[in-house]
Amino acid sequence: MRAIPRFIPHALLALTLSAFQLGARAADVPIYQIQGSGAASAYAGQTVTTTGVVTKRNNNGFFIQDLTGDGNPATSDGIFVFGTLYTAEVGSLVQVAGTVTEYNVGSASNGATAAAPLTEIGAVTAVTVLGTGYTIQPTPVDLPLAKGDGFERFEGMLVTLRGPLTVQQNYFQNRYGQLTLGASGRHEVPTNRYRPGTPQALALADLQSRSRILLDDGSSLQYVNPTPYLLSNGEPRAGDAVGDVTGVIDYGLASASSAGAGLYRIHPTAAPAFALANPRAPRPPAVGGNLRVGAMNTLNFFTTFTNGQTADGQTGQGCALGGSVTAGNCRGADNLAEFQRQRAKLVLEMAGLDADAVGLMEAQNNGNVAVQNLVDALNARVGAGTYATLPVPSAGTGSDAIRVAMVYKPARLTPVGAPVSDTDAVNSRPPLAQTFAAPNGERITIVVNHLKAKSGCPSPGAANAAGNVDSGDGQGCWNRLRTQQAQRLRTFVAQLQSQGASDRVLLVGDFNAYAQEDPIAALTGNGYVDQVGRYNGLGYSYVFDAMAGRLDHAIANGPMSALVTGTTEWHINADEQLAQDYNLESKPPACPTCAPDPYDGSGPYRASDHDPVLIGVDLYKTIAGTPGRDTLRGSPGDDRLIGGAGADRLSGGGGDNVYVYASMRDAGDLVTDFAPGHDRIDLGDLLAAAGYIGSDPVADGWVRFIAIAAGTRVEVDIDGPAGSAWFRPLLTLADVAPAALAPRRDLILRATSTTTTRR
């Protein structure tokens, strides 16, 4: 809808004619005849009178619908009357005189919206109220629309969209009072699911386009207070549900740009009923393993601001990069107050991830100043010295205003050698690599990446345009360059390994490419494995144009993939409304009656526009015995001890250890230093072979703990309580009382295998 200055008065007609006067009015052109069956009206530019029942009033006009319609489903029976000089109440039968207009809801040069203009009556000269108390029955509409169908034939009509529907996007909820709704669950970026340009990708794009509509508040005003459709706890989030929606169909912009795409919308005549289907998760889902690696976009974490201030209170410095201070070099918080909100949110996100190493994207490229500032704030929350930042690599961090970085827990990981960056000219921001050793001596190499963004397209005639302009296959701009960067990444990893890096390599970061696009295929088609796709049916970290997909990835080479126990995204950012972020401008006033205030800025929610990724890694050191009697000693770190057949003496040493029993032939062991709550006994293969499928073998009568003078004897009934066998001793835990053991915590079963973690 177009904005109308708020100072224009509303004049309500006092004239109401009785029924016998209907025949005296000027000859009407029925609404359905004005609308016709095409995108544009045959009456465009002509002055007409028409009659209809007012179905919905907006702040810049109202909708009317023919009382009976023509019964033709190809023609709309409703139309919008633009202007505020005349108005009428909902349910009034009115005659309207004005000019039929085909309004381009976008800019004059916007071909997309110009091809689907909004038919309306403007330059209104008279609105005559003919009667009141009329009702229009809404037309039921099911999504998705039939193939080849569209909302044009419902333009201006009162309809009921039959639910359930899903909130696909809430990016414009605060500014424009809009939510994007869609049928058939969550909508996914087609190139996140299928290779670009394939029939499957095209079919998914077509299906979702016929399944989507904007829920609009019916106002052309911005930042209305209270925010339309906002619930007190920050809902709805993308992924939440809504039932039937009854309202009037309209058409308008689907973005903040007048040159952007248009989308049909519905102005509800009754409040939609939302249902919580995608609640906020207070912590990330479990990923297993004994080591956790995270990756998160910090949404331009800068310690210098456009107002010339810095995070440490200095002035007159600004965002200098390469000797210049420009707004383009200041990409984060505008001032200290916003910075403090931003940092607080990021700290909560990092603390919630509780990862042993975290790759960061979009940190200010000012040495380690910004990254160290964030780590200092994080350690102030989780404990002094918990995290450290890697030093700046000797080859540098490139010339972009932002860089990638890495922080880690020194108690859990030790850097092996210095960090390495790849400053090859093809990279937009140099990847950062570091090999780490765990306390048990096991090593992995982590590489943090941030490939070229899809925005800022080159002009078609530019020297770098080939393969980098938007080809329309869904991959956006700069696809060729991102693919070259992914190819270069393989070369960089090979160079690292030739210089002594681990053969276990994990690539994390913002690749600015969805899961099936060429840059990712350049990796997964050459021995690397997409870990998010491996563990998630719909893996997404970003929502754009009402579709979810993953730009943020965890991609492992073969040896590393064998160690990954789980990968997830923590959906605290992409599904959240934009107004939840750290910015202070364009926010409604505080809500003292809301608990909590949906705009108070607390919590990690919308710390960034990307969701963080978390990867679980099984980085145990395996120590195995012989078929005879052995004495096995663990390392200072996390170990997996496998005594095998024979009565063995096992000592885990430091770390959190796992003692593995695959058969009753392994019976007779003594574990000298078992620590309940830290160490575990793996009975997965043993009990699975016996047919046990439960989750608590002690409660189910398959395992028991018996107190003995030396500690606790663990016994197993190999055929369970229903069988004829009886409990037999398996191992002894020295100096451990049975009461100290918790089966669900201290035993590992096949359902969780050795990937289970208590962290």
Side-chain angles (χ1 to χ4, degrees):
M1 285 301 182
R2 288 169 286 176
I4 294 297
R6 300 185 68 178
F7 58 82
I8 294 180
H10 287 72
L12 183 61
L13 281 181
L15 178 61
T16 302
L17 303 181
S18 59
F20 73 85
Q21 293 176 288
L22 291 177
R25 56 191 169 91
D28 280 347
V29 179
I31 294 173
Y32 48 79
Q33 192 170 322
I34 295 172
Q35 285 281 12
S37 58
S41 172
Y43 290 82
Q46 298 183 32
T47 299
V48 299
T49 61
T50 192
T51 300
V53 176
V54 178
T55 55
K56 178 76 170 67
R57 290 177 56 182
N58 287 354
N59 76 312
N60 59 354
F62 56 91
F63 292 87
I64 60 174
Q65 184 165 333
D66 190 90
L67 190 56
T68 58
D70 64 349
N72 181 359
T75 58
S76 170
D77 298 326
I79 198 166
F80 181 62
V81 179
F82 174 68
T84 59
L85 184 60
Y86 300 95
T87 188
E89 297 300 320
V90 171
S92 298
L93 180 67
V94 297
Q95 183 187 62
V96 177
T99 302
V100 177
T101 303
E102 290 296 340
Y103 175 59
N104 179 2
V105 299
S107 61
S109 60
N110 188 335
T113 55
L118 176 66
T119 303
E120 64 183 27
I121 297 176
V124 178
T125 58
V127 174
T128 305
V129 178
L130 308 176
T132 58
Y134 290 86
T135 58
I136 296 291
Q137 290 301 313
T139 300
V141 177
D142 291 313
L143 296 179
L145 300 174
K147 194 172 181 65
D149 196 2
F151 278 105
E152 170 69 27
R153 64 190 182 95
F154 301 112
E155 183 181 272
M157 288 180 60
L158 184 67
V159 305
T160 293
L161 301 178
R162 292 192 278 213
L165 302 172
T166 300
V167 177
Q168 307 295 341
Q169 177 173 279
N170 52 15
Y171 188 85
F172 297 112
Q173 183 180 3
N174 177 46
R175 181 173 179 181
Y176 296 123
Q178 294 175 341
L179 295 170
T180 308
L181 307 181
S184 305
R186 202 68 186 267
H187 289 186
E188 184 177 8
V189 176
T191 54
N192 200 62
R193 176 71 53 180
Y194 303 111
R195 289 287 288 143
T198 60
Q200 297 94 327
L202 297 174
L204 181 58
D206 174 67
L207 174 65
Q208 293 182 160
S209 70
R210 293 183 279 111
S211 306
R212 191 177 300 140
I213 195 166
L214 274 177
L215 176 67
D216 190 271
D217 67 341
S219 171
S220 60
L221 304 178
Q222 297 187 34
Y223 302 110
V224 174
N225 185 36
T227 301
Y229 315 120
L230 180 67
L231 307 183
S232 61
N233 56 356
E235 302 164 15
R237 286 163 35 99
D240 283 340
V242 63
D244 292 355
V245 179
T246 297
V248 179
I249 297 295
D250 189 17
Y251 182 75
L253 288 169
S255 73
S257 170
S258 63
L263 190 65
Y264 280 95
R265 62 186 65 189
I266 185 168
H267 304 294
T269 55
F274 293 95
L276 183 62
N278 183 28
R280 288 171 168 173
R283 61 189 61 84
V287 290
N290 66 322
L291 188 80
R292 291 152 64 106
V293 179
M296 53 182 278
N297 185 301
T298 66
L299 192 56
N300 296 308
F301 184 74
F302 277 51
T303 52
T304 56
F305 320 127
T306 51
N307 63 2
Q309 295 180 332
T310 66
D312 58 0
Q314 301 299 311
T315 60
Q317 296 187 26
C319 303
L321 182 70
S324 63
V325 179
T326 67
N329 291 335
C330 291
R331 302 184 183 180
D334 293 330
N335 49 56
L336 183 60
E338 286 191 350
F339 169 80
Q340 290 171 340
R341 284 168 57 95
Q342 180 186 26
R343 185 175 61 184
K345 283 179 171 289
L346 291 172
V347 163
L348 290 173
E349 181 175 324
M350 296 178 76
L353 286 175
D354 190 26
D356 300 301
V358 184
L360 303 177
M361 284 68 66
E362 297 193 17
Q364 185 176 4
N365 194 5
N366 59 349
N368 253 347
V369 174
V371 178
Q372 190 61 52
N373 186 292
L374 182 58
V375 168
D376 290 345
L378 176 62
N379 284 339
R381 180 177 180 85
V382 300
T386 301
Y387 283 93
T389 180
L390 291 179
V392 174
S394 59
T397 54
S399 60
D400 198 278
I402 54 177
R403 58 167 290 210
V404 299
M406 201 181 322
V407 303
Y408 67 99
K409 290 181 177 179
R412 299 280 297 159
L413 292 170
T414 300
V416 178
V420 181
S421 62
D422 182 20
T423 55
D424 188 274
V426 76
N427 290 316
S428 301
R429 291 158 286 266
L432 174 66
Q434 178 66 61
T435 297
F436 290 103
N440 61 13
E442 298 295 307
R443 297 184 178 189
I444 62 171
T445 297
I446 303 171
V447 185
V448 187
N449 306 272
H450 191 180
L451 274 57
K452 177 69 174 176
K454 293 175 180 278
S455 59
C457 304
S459 60
N464 58 359
N468 285 321
V469 297
D470 190 345
S471 67
D473 65 354
Q475 301 191 87
C477 296
W478 301 109
N479 181 61
R480 179 171 178 266
L481 179 56
R482 280 191 300 277
T483 303
Q484 291 170 331
Q485 291 172 346
Q487 293 166 340
R488 171 63 195 176
L489 185 55
R490 300 203 318 264
T491 301
F492 178 50
V493 168
Q495 291 173 346
L496 292 171
Q497 292 177 322
S498 70
Q499 298 165 5
S502 172
D503 65 338
R504 305 157 172 171
V505 180
L506 179 63
L507 313 176
V508 298
D510 180 358
F511 287 71
N512 273 309
Y514 293 108
Q516 298 300 322
E517 294 181 1
D518 294 343
I520 307 304
L523 295 167
T524 57
N526 289 276
Y528 287 82
V529 181
D530 171 9
Q531 299 300 316
V532 178
R534 177 183 173 191
Y535 287 99
N536 297 276
L538 170 58
Y540 71 95
S541 63
Y542 196 70
V543 175
F544 184 74
D545 279 352
M547 293 176 290
R550 59 184 178 277
L551 298 176
D552 306 85
H553 296 269
I555 301 174
N557 70 351
M560 184 72 207
S561 183
L563 302 181
V564 174
T565 58
T567 305
T568 189
E569 301 100 340
W570 188 15
H571 297 307
I572 56 173
N573 295 327
D575 292 334
E576 293 286 334
Q577 187 194 140
L578 180 63
Q580 300 287 345
D581 71 10
Y582 62 80
N583 291 284
L584 291 171
E585 71 273 9
S586 305
K587 294 284 198 300
C591 179
T593 62
C594 299
D597 181 352
Y599 294 111
D600 67 358
S602 65
Y605 309 108
R606 200 68 185 188
S608 175
D609 50 348
H610 295 243
D611 288 325
V613 178
L614 186 63
I615 306 102
V617 181
D618 187 342
L619 202 61
Y620 290 92
K621 183 180 184 65
T622 298
I623 302 173
T626 69
R629 294 190 174 189
D630 301 296
T631 297
L632 303 182
R633 298 184 182 277
S635 75
D638 301 343
D639 303 310
R640 180 179 291 109
L641 292 92
I642 308 173
D648 306 307
R649 184 181 180 89
L650 310 178
S651 301
D656 294 348
N657 305 299
V658 174
Y659 299 87
V660 181
Y661 292 87
S663 166
M664 290 303 296
R665 292 190 296 272
D666 299 344
D669 291 358
L670 172 66
V671 179
T672 66
D673 58 353
F674 188 88
H678 292 275
D679 299 333
R680 289 169 294 163
I681 304 168
D682 185 349
L683 302 179
D685 289 343
L686 188 157
L687 292 179
Y692 179 71
I693 58 174
S695 59
D696 187 341
V698 174
D700 294 339
W702 289 70
V703 175
R704 67 182 183 182
F705 304 138
I706 301 297
I708 60 175
T712 294
R713 186 168 64 229
V714 179
E715 299 182 346
V716 176
D717 182 353
I718 199 62
D719 60 359
S724 59
W726 188 240
F727 284 99
R728 293 169 51 195
L730 180 63
L731 72 148
T732 298
L733 304 177
D735 301 321
V736 174
L741 298 170
R744 292 179 181 270
R745 181 193 65 195
D746 298 329
L747 299 181
I748 296 175
L749 307 179
R750 175 67 65 83
T752 54
S753 187
T754 56
T755 64
T756 304
T757 179
R758 290 173 300 280
R759 298 181 61 211

